Amino acid sequence: MTQANDHEQAIMVGINLKGSRPLLNMEDSLSELALLADTAGMEIVGQVTQNVGKIDPATFVGSGKVDEIKDTVLATGAKVIVFDDELSPRHQRELEEQFGENVKVIDRSALILDIFAQHARTREGALQVELAQYEYRLPRLTRMWTHLARQSGGAGGRSGSGGVGLRGPGETQLEVDRRDIRRRISKLKEELEHVREHRSRHRSQRERTGVPLVALVGYTNAGKSTLLRALTGADVYIANQLFATLDPTTRRVEFPSGRQALVTDTVGFIQKLPTTLVAAFQATLEEIREADIILEVADVNHPNVLQHLETVEDTLAEIDVPPVPRILVWNKIDRWAGGELPKPENAADYVAQVSVSATQNVGLEALLGAVEAALKTALQRTKLLIPYERGDVSSLLHETATIEKQEHTPEGVLLTVRLPHDLYERFKEYRV
């Protein structure tokens, strides 16, 4: 029978581990997994769930549940089995043996990596995704991972020699593949180090101008890219799907006072984000660590919005973001039914909470006002004596600092200013 579409048909497998306290319950987590599968181009045709006291060391779910999954595969004609939790290399091998060559076994991490591979639009994004794929794949290398080979530029599955020659005495093709992948991982890390160095130089240039950086963070599909476009007028890619954008986008925004800042949008977060992905995206995530202000964007209408915020906080802690001012942005307020807004447990950690609708341009002025107020509180107050012959320094300060007082003295212009920390250090020779 011919299918109505060419999507791979898949079934999902979820477990409820007794004693564990996941951010999302099994039902909500599987709903999210179904959205991920749809984003990856799969069609979910069934699911199998299980309550367990412990993870089976061989097959993750136990032999009885494996038989139930086999029956579901036969009944639905599914060609892919997606586990909602990350499988260990041993689980991967055992399950692949159980289900045979004609059925692919993947987990949530592999699915997210596949989505990232489809959505990487720049050289940097492609490098980061490929590195994450290989580091995830290496310990699980048992047969060609065709579901991960879409983006790898011909280096997926069996890379390098393609199985022809060049192997040592007694060396198996699997060993050749592993060596080739390790070599490719090393090369990718070198290339990404160049990316990090380039970003570092770019940041240094930006810091010399003193323009503050505002980073947008949030759960995937919370509306960060839409908010970036609403604030800056930038022509950025927007889609109502998970992980629509991966590559950081930075645009300039002007506050009502006339002062300017840079706003950068980065990859969205999600629960159970693969650790290999976080590690591979260090060059991109450094943009968040360097921010002067962080805007945490949340979909106020999502039933799991508090869990989403907790995921964001956990990820920020994982990448060692410093304690800069954070503003909680309740997005999509135009769909809010009214009543009290959700109450995060860490509400005291935010310097402000602002409700906006990025699509309807509601609340943007209030948000810009909150950001500018937060920037002022993050500044250091000092007095600087600028010699008259250094008019360039005075001009730069007027553009980038908050001038509270200005006096003319025989020695030069005495300015009482508020400066961000990086500029505070830069102008230390003029302090009085």
Side-chain angles (χ1 to χ4, degrees), residues 263-280:
V263 182
T264 188
D265 178 23
T266 57
V267 61
F269 301 150
I270 197 169
Q271 62 141 356
K272 305 177 185 177
L273 194 65
T275 54
T276 53
L277 202 55
V278 175

Side-chain angles (χ1 to χ4, degrees), residues 175-190:
E175 289 167 337
V176 172
D177 288 348
R178 284 177 176 152
R179 188 178 67 241
D180 288 346
I181 288 179
R182 289 190 183 99
R183 186 182 300 118
R184 181 61 181 158
I185 285 174
S186 178
K187 177 65 175 175
L188 287 167
K189 286 182 175 179
E190 287 180 15

Side-chain angles (χ1 to χ4, degrees), residues 8-14 30 33-34 37 42-49 65-84 99 103-108 111:
E8 286 185 299
Q9 294 191 317
I11 64 170
M12 303 183 297
V13 180
L30 284 173
L33 186 67
M42 296 179 185
E43 178 189 1
I44 297 299
V45 294
Q47 71 178 42
V48 176
T49 60
K65 190 59 64 171
V66 166
D67 289 338
E68 182 181 337
I69 296 170
K70 286 180 180 178
D71 292 340
T72 305
V73 168
L74 287 174
T76 61
K79 297 299 182 183
V80 184
I81 303 170
V82 187
F83 281 76
D84 191 32
F99 295 112
V103 178
K104 288 186 288 190
V105 178
I106 65 174
D107 59 16
R108 173 184 275 258
L111 186 59

Side-chain angles (χ1 to χ4, degrees), residues 7-224:
H7 288 186
E8 286 185 299
Q9 294 191 317
I11 64 170
M12 303 183 297
V13 180
I15 67 162
N16 180 31
L17 181 62
K18 294 176 183 176
S20 65
R21 299 185 64 184
L23 286 175
L24 298 182
N25 61 40
M26 180 175 63
E27 181 180 348
D28 289 341
S29 189
L30 284 173
S31 294
E32 185 176 85
L33 186 67
L35 289 175
L36 288 167
D38 180 68
T39 302
M42 296 179 185
E43 178 189 1
I44 297 299
V45 294
Q47 71 178 42
V48 176
T49 60
Q50 182 183 36
N51 294 313
V52 296
K54 63 178 182 178
I55 301 298
D56 186 277
T59 60
F60 192 76
V61 291
S63 57
K65 190 59 64 171
V66 166
D67 289 338
E68 182 181 337
I69 296 170
K70 286 180 180 178
D71 292 340
T72 305
V73 168
L74 287 174
T76 61
K79 297 299 182 183
V80 184
I81 303 170
V82 187
F83 281 76
D84 191 32
D85 295 277
E86 185 167 319
L87 300 172
S88 71
R90 181 186 178 186
H91 289 141
Q92 189 78 47
R93 289 191 297 270
E94 292 285 345
L95 289 167
E96 285 181 346
E97 289 182 8
Q98 288 282 342
F99 295 112
E101 294 275 341
N102 294 325
V103 178
K104 288 186 288 190
V105 178
I106 65 174
D107 59 16
R108 173 184 275 258
S109 293
L111 186 59
I112 292 174
L113 288 170
D114 188 42
I115 294 169
F116 272 55
Q118 295 179 51
H119 290 182
R121 292 179 171 84
T122 67
R123 174 62 176 159
E124 177 186 351
L127 287 171
Q128 292 175 128
V129 173
E130 189 178 355
L131 175 61
Q133 286 181 327
Y134 278 135
E135 292 196 321
Y136 173 85
R137 194 185 317 176
L138 182 61
R140 296 168 172 81
L141 193 63
T142 56
R143 68 182 195 224
M144 188 179 298
W145 284 57
T146 54
H147 63 284
L148 289 181
R150 303 180 189 180
Q151 177 271 339
S152 299
R158 299 179 184 273
S159 63
S161 65
V164 181
L166 299 180
R167 68 181 72 182
E171 192 172 34
T172 67
Q173 180 60 48
L174 188 60
E175 289 167 337
V176 172
D177 288 348
R178 284 177 176 152
R179 188 178 67 241
D180 288 346
I181 288 179
R182 289 190 183 99
R183 186 182 300 118
R184 181 61 181 158
I185 285 174
S186 178
K187 177 65 175 175
L188 287 167
K189 286 182 175 179
E190 287 180 15
E191 293 186 57
L192 282 171
E193 187 57 37
H194 292 311
V195 171
R196 294 183 75 172
E197 291 172 0
H198 175 75
R199 283 194 175 278
S200 179
R201 290 193 297 271
H202 183 71
R203 277 195 297 270
S204 296
Q205 293 172 359
R206 184 186 69 226
E207 287 167 0
R208 282 196 292 271
T209 69
V211 178
L213 178 66
V214 179
L216 297 173
V217 302
Y219 210 77
T220 181
N221 212 28
K224 296 184 291 85

Side-chain angles (χ1 to χ4, degrees), residues 355-376:
S355 298
V356 307
S357 169
T359 58
Q360 303 299 317
N361 291 328
V362 173
L364 300 185
E365 288 188 11
L367 176 57
L368 288 174
V371 172
E372 192 162 23
L375 286 170
K376 288 180 181 178

